[in-house]
């Protein structure tokens, strides 16, 4: 009897990595971490080399038989391939190996299913799983593919498999409708923030680069963070007050991974829209890993795929492990390109805040303001931004303020209040109108 039924059982697994010259190599260590994150007990990791994948089995028949013998001897429940397999290849491999076979996409989906905590996250995972399953129904339900027959049942009918596919399409449609409502809700919240001119800073990066740890420190919150792949799936937004900027929204997003399947990108668009609509992206990078450049390329390829045309500040995290110094590196005057920090030890976090300020507001400058008693609302706004360095009253009751903020932000506040700039700035009005002086690009050591 041919094997088509799904095996029930444990998670004793064999990993299979194939080096294919015509395909991009995939990190085998990351593959092991993915399998461990899913809860697999890894007994063997089989490697092979091929010029191109075999259309029937992906690997050669000899290697497939070798794995099948290991499955039988070790009582293996699951074989996981570090590649995307076609539905036919999965069925053929299951027939040879007599156990469940899943590919890289199925593995990542399983991890997502375990980690999704919010209603939205569960909807996105279920949709991705059903889209992946829709082409693989025959594996689990072949015994039901025959038309129903017998007395009273002959004639036009619908096979069980066709029924399942129809129900699957209906459920996928329902999930897409629900996610569209989530998207509309997000758009309304986003529109309100944009109307109020509240910038959004979104953290993106490779999975396990330290985004959630950094998010917790900057937002003073406790989002779940752990040293594992895909510890955070659901987007988390926090509104906070930032010195020199005022209110901003900080967003933590799902981590990326190399060769992230396109179907997953599509299913998680509601999450990734926080990236698309952000004012600034903080690309958090694990500076301690030898695969740093490959991980940067993986994140940038996903950002390109979803069409994220947003300014990016690279944040090189984990310098407490890599041994680098906390610093800012500028691409051009007042335009930070990279910041080196450690979310774990706190090194360089003040430099990160400074770099975000400069990216959003421009270079901060010190101004001396003179406010008469009628301009109290402007004073309140300046205090809300936490930019006032000192204040004092003169004999005429005028308030003298020393503020440290971006020129265009100060100009915006004064104009919104319909107040005279020259009167408030006094002798500083000419300095305010001058373009900022160029300065030498330099590293700022923290």
């Amino acid at each position: 009897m041919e094997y088509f039924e799904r095996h029930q059982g444990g998670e004793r697994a064999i990993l299979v990595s194939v080096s294919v010259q015509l395909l991009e190599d995939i990190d085998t260590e990351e593959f092991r971490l993915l399998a461990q994150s899913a809860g697999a007990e890894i007994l063997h990791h089989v490697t092979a080399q091929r010029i191109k994948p075999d259309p029937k089995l992906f690997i050669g028949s000899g290697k497939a038989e070798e794995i099948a013998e290991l499955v039988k001897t070790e009582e293996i429940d699951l074989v996981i391939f570090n590649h995307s397999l076609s539905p036919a290849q999965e069925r053929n491999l299951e027939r040879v190996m007599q156990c469940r076979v899943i590919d890289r996409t199925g593995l990542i989906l399983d991890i997502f299913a375990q980690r999704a905590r919010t209603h939205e996250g569960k909807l996105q995972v279920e949709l991705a799983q059903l889209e992946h399953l829709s082409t693989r129904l025959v594996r689990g339900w072949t015994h039901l593919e025959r038309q129903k027959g017998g007395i009273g049942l002959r004639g036009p009918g619908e096979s069980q498999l066709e029924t399942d596919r129809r129900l699957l399409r209906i459920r996928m449609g329902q999930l897409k409708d629900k996610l569209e409502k989530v998207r509309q809700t997000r758009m309304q919240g986003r529109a309100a923030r944009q109307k109020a001119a509240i910038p959004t800073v979104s953290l993106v990066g490779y999975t396990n680069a330290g985004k959630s740890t950094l998010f917790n420190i900057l937002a003073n919150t406790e989002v779940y963070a752990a040293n594992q792949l895909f510890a955070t799936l659901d987007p988390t937004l926090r509104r906070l007050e930032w010195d020199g900027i005022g209110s901003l929204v900080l967003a933590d997003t799902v981590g990326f991974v190399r060769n992230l399947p396109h179907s997953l990108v599509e299913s998680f668009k509601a999450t990734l829209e926080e990236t698309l609509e952000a004012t600034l992206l903080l690309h958090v990078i694990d500076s301690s890993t030898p695969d740093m450049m490959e991980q940067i390329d993986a994140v940038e390829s996903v950002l390109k795929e979803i069409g994220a045309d947003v300014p990016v500040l690279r944040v090189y995290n984990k310098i407490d492990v890599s041994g680098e110094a906390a610093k800012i590196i500028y691409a051009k005057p007042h335009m930070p390109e990279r910041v080196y920090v450690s979310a774990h030890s706190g090194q360089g976090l003040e430099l990160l805040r400074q770099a975000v300020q400069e990216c959003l507001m421009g270079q901060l400058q010190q101004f001396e303001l003179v406010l008469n008693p009628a301009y109290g609302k402007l004073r309140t706004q300046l205090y809300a931004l936490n930019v006032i360095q000192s204040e004092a009253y003169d004999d005429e009751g005028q308030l003298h303020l020393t503020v440290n903020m971006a020129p265009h932000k100060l100009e915006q506040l004064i104009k919104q209040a319909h107040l005279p700039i020259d009167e408030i700035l006094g002798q500083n009005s000419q300095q305010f109108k001058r373009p900022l002086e160029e300065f030498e690009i330099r590293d700022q050591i923290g």
Side-chain angles (χ1 to χ4, degrees):
M1 176 180 175
E2 289 186 342
Y3 173 79
F4 284 108
E5 298 293 334
R6 295 179 188 273
H7 277 225
Q8 305 294 321
E11 305 293 333
R12 293 165 61 85
I14 292 177
L15 307 186
V16 181
S17 296
V18 183
S19 177
V20 181
Q21 292 182 12
L22 300 182
L23 297 179
E24 181 181 354
D25 286 337
I26 302 176
D27 185 4
T28 55
E29 182 57 33
E30 178 183 272
F31 180 40
R32 289 183 66 88
L33 288 173
L34 284 170
Q36 289 170 355
S37 295
E41 179 188 350
I42 303 169
L43 298 187
H44 295 279
H45 193 160
V46 178
T47 59
Q49 290 187 334
R50 291 189 64 84
I51 296 176
K52 62 180 181 179
D54 179 73
K56 184 178 179 181
L57 295 169
F58 194 88
I59 54 176
S61 57
K63 184 63 72 171
E65 292 293 344
E66 177 187 322
I67 296 171
E69 188 61 33
L70 276 175
V71 168
K72 184 177 179 180
T73 305
E74 302 282 352
E75 298 182 348
I76 298 298
D77 303 298
L78 178 66
V79 176
I80 309 173
F81 275 71
N82 195 11
H83 310 272
S84 293
L85 301 176
S86 70
Q89 287 170 335
E90 282 193 14
R91 291 197 300 273
N92 293 333
L93 287 165
E94 286 188 337
R95 186 183 296 116
V96 172
M97 298 177 184
Q98 292 291 298
C99 76
R100 284 187 300 138
V101 174
I102 65 171
D103 63 1
R104 183 182 177 87
T105 302
L107 175 63
I108 293 174
L109 281 172
D110 185 83
I111 298 170
F112 278 19
Q114 293 180 45
R115 302 282 162 76
R117 291 177 175 82
T118 66
H119 176 64
E120 178 192 352
K122 291 174 182 176
L123 288 177
Q124 292 177 133
V125 170
E126 185 180 352
L127 177 60
Q129 286 179 316
L130 293 181
E131 288 179 338
H132 185 65
L133 181 64
S134 61
T135 56
R136 289 163 167 78
L137 270 182
V138 66
R139 178 179 67 179
W141 299 101
T142 300
H143 63 293
L144 297 175
E145 194 170 9
R146 296 183 297 276
Q147 296 284 346
K148 294 178 181 178
I151 298 173
L153 295 175
R154 294 188 180 94
E158 183 177 43
S159 72
Q160 180 64 50
L161 183 58
E162 288 167 346
T163 303
D164 291 333
R165 283 177 175 155
R166 180 167 52 81
L167 293 173
L168 202 65
R169 287 195 296 271
I170 292 171
R171 179 58 180 162
M172 287 166 63
Q174 293 172 341
L175 290 171
K176 287 177 180 177
D177 288 342
K178 289 180 179 179
L179 285 170
E180 179 61 21
K181 290 179 181 178
V182 170
R183 192 180 73 85
Q184 293 293 337
T185 302
R186 287 192 182 282
M187 284 179 62
Q188 291 173 2
R190 214 175 286 126
R193 295 198 300 267
Q194 290 170 350
K195 186 176 180 181
I198 300 174
T200 299
V201 177
S202 184
L203 276 66
V204 299
Y206 207 78
T207 182
N208 206 30
K211 295 187 310 303
S212 296
T213 303
L214 188 60
F215 179 88
N216 285 337
I217 293 173
L218 294 177
N220 192 25
T221 187
E222 292 188 4
V223 170
Y224 178 72
N227 185 26
Q228 58 186 17
L229 302 183
F230 299 115
T232 304
L233 273 189
D234 306 304
T236 307
L237 282 75
R238 293 288 185 273
R239 181 166 173 165
L240 57 143
E241 299 300 317
W242 198 294
D243 291 357
I245 297 173
S247 295
L248 66 78
V249 172
L250 195 65
D252 187 20
T253 60
V254 62
F256 300 154
V257 70
R258 264 171 283 188
N259 301 319
L260 189 66
H262 181 75
S263 60
L264 296 187
V265 175
E266 285 295 311
S267 299
F268 279 79
K269 270 194 171 176
T271 298
L272 297 172
E273 276 187 354
E274 291 302 336
T275 298
L276 286 170
E277 301 295 334
T279 313
L280 175 68
L281 297 183
L282 299 186
H283 179 181
V284 184
I285 299 164
D286 181 355
S287 64
S288 66
T289 177
D291 298 327
M292 182 177 71
M293 296 310 300
E294 289 83 354
Q295 293 184 2
I296 291 173
D297 291 341
V299 172
E300 290 181 347
S301 68
V302 174
L303 292 176
K304 184 177 180 181
E305 183 177 352
I306 65 175
D309 185 18
V310 181
V312 177
L313 173 64
R314 287 186 176 183
V315 181
Y316 288 79
N317 191 26
K318 304 187 182 181
I319 60 172
D320 55 317
V321 179
S322 66
E324 295 177 89
K327 59 190 174 184
I328 301 177
I329 293 181
Y330 288 85
K332 55 184 179 180
H334 318 309
M335 190 62 65
E337 179 186 57
R338 288 177 276 167
V339 188
Y340 290 77
V341 305
S342 169
H344 180 70
S345 69
Q347 294 171 261
L349 293 183
E350 284 306 315
L351 292 178
L352 173 59
R353 291 186 175 93
Q354 175 189 330
V356 171
Q357 273 183 344
E358 293 189 58
C359 287
L360 292 177
M361 311 302 295
Q363 176 72 8
L364 304 184
Q365 282 188 291
Q366 186 167 292
F367 296 98
E368 301 292 332
L369 310 183
V370 180
L371 306 183
N372 70 42
Y375 301 163
K377 184 177 179 181
L378 177 60
R379 174 180 177 272
T380 301
Q381 290 175 317
L382 293 171
Y383 263 107
L385 291 174
N386 200 20
V387 296
I388 296 178
Q389 307 295 307
S390 64
E391 69 172 6
Y393 287 92
D394 61 21
D395 294 338
E396 299 177 357
Q398 302 268 44
L399 178 62
H400 293 254
L401 295 177
T402 302
V403 299
N404 192 39
M405 63 188 304
H408 78 271
K409 181 64 175 178
L410 178 57
E411 180 182 25
Q412 179 188 24
L413 290 177
I414 295 174
K415 286 184 175 179
Q416 285 176 347
H418 305 291
L419 301 177
I421 291 180
D422 289 343
E423 177 188 336
I424 291 173
L425 287 169
Q427 296 178 355
N428 295 305
S429 58
Q430 293 304 313
Q431 171 202 349
F432 182 78
K433 295 171 184 175
R434 265 198 329 264
L436 298 174
E437 295 180 3
E438 295 295 316
F439 69 96
E440 183 181 354
I441 298 176
R442 65 187 184 279
D443 292 357
Q444 299 189 17
I445 305 300

